[in-house]
Amino acid sequence: MLYLEYRTIFYVLWIVTCNCVVLLLLDLSSTFNRVDHEILIHHLRSRLDIKGKALDWLRSYLTNRSQFGNIDGVTSETHSMTCWVRQGSALGPILYLLYTSPLADILRRHNMLFHFYADDTQLYTSFTCSDEHDLSSTAQRIEDCLADIRTWMLLNKLKLNEDKTDSWLFILAIAHRQCFP
């Protein structure tokens, strides 16, 4: 399903602009386990203006949580959980998206199109295939955007997995002939 989504967006971008399209698939490490509760509460209050009982309820959901392990009857120490949202819960992916919502500001600032779905992040941009200047300025814009994303993630206790982050350049030969006779 995810493949169809980015493929569809790619085709629409390509057909509309008659350009080359760059797709970046960002891979984040252990995303749901890295959501810092204090940062999340701050985002909810300052960016989304959530306050009062709603904010108290969310704070209550996040705080005073602990975990331990048990293998063959041997139980580990109990540890307080200050960074996590439950991935398998109904609320976990929503809280994660709210936590990472400032990324949208960074992407817009760099004129990137994007799609977020839980912890999957897809970035799109296009450039004129036959224009070397457009190619180099697009490459610089992507590098600048990724640098800002890395900085934001560092400040917000998330980690971009550089080894698994992919970038693809799409050019269709048939459509290329139609755009560049």
Side-chain angles (χ1 to χ4, degrees):
M1 175 105 173
L2 188 61
Y3 175 75
L4 292 176
E5 288 178 24
Y6 75 71
R7 199 169 99 182
T8 302
I9 293 171
F10 149 68
Y11 283 128
V12 169
L13 272 174
W14 206 92
I15 290 166
V16 168
T17 64
C18 233
N19 288 339
C20 296
V21 176
V22 177
L23 165 68
L24 288 96
L25 304 172
L26 301 186
D27 185 85
L28 283 68
S29 299
S30 305
T31 53
F32 286 84
N33 296 335
R34 293 177 178 262
V35 173
D36 183 275
H37 298 163
E38 290 304 315
I39 294 172
L40 175 58
I41 293 296
H42 174 74
H43 286 331
L44 294 172
R45 188 176 44 244
S46 64
R47 290 183 57 83
L48 302 170
D49 200 30
I50 297 174
K51 52 189 167 200
K53 291 198 183 281
L55 188 63
D56 292 343
W57 182 83
L58 288 166
R59 185 179 285 117
S60 171
Y61 174 79
L62 294 169
T63 57
N64 298 320
R65 302 288 178 165
S66 59
Q67 74 174 10
F68 64 90
N70 186 323
I71 299 174
D72 295 329
V74 178
T75 303
S76 70
E77 292 180 31
T78 300
H79 295 277
S80 177
M81 303 290 292
T82 60
C83 291
W84 70 276
V85 291
R86 262 188 76 192
Q87 186 171 0
S89 69
L91 196 53
I94 294 168
L95 290 174
Y96 174 78
L97 286 173
L98 294 173
Y99 185 79
T100 58
S101 65
L103 280 175
D105 299 335
I106 294 169
L107 299 173
R108 284 186 198 99
R109 193 169 55 246
H110 291 281
N111 296 317
M112 299 290 286
L113 300 174
F114 56 91
H115 177 76
F116 296 142
Y117 180 78
D119 62 342
D120 292 320
T121 303
Q122 304 163 9
L123 313 179
Y124 311 89
T125 193
S126 63
F127 64 94
T128 306
C129 298
S130 59
D131 184 341
E132 281 190 42
H133 175 69
D134 198 17
L135 168 62
S136 64
S137 66
T138 299
Q140 186 61 55
R141 185 166 45 95
I142 291 169
E143 285 299 319
D144 293 346
C145 182
L146 288 174
D148 287 350
I149 289 171
R150 284 183 202 99
T151 299
W152 183 88
M153 288 189 174
L154 182 65
L155 293 171
N156 289 275
K157 301 182 180 181
L158 295 176
K159 184 176 185 305
L160 183 63
N161 188 343
E162 305 274 348
D163 294 334
K164 291 185 178 180
T165 293
D166 290 325
S167 62
W168 298 1
L169 172 63
F170 293 97
I171 305 172
L172 290 178
I174 296 168
H176 188 271
R177 278 185 252 125
Q178 292 171 352
C179 292
F180 308 101

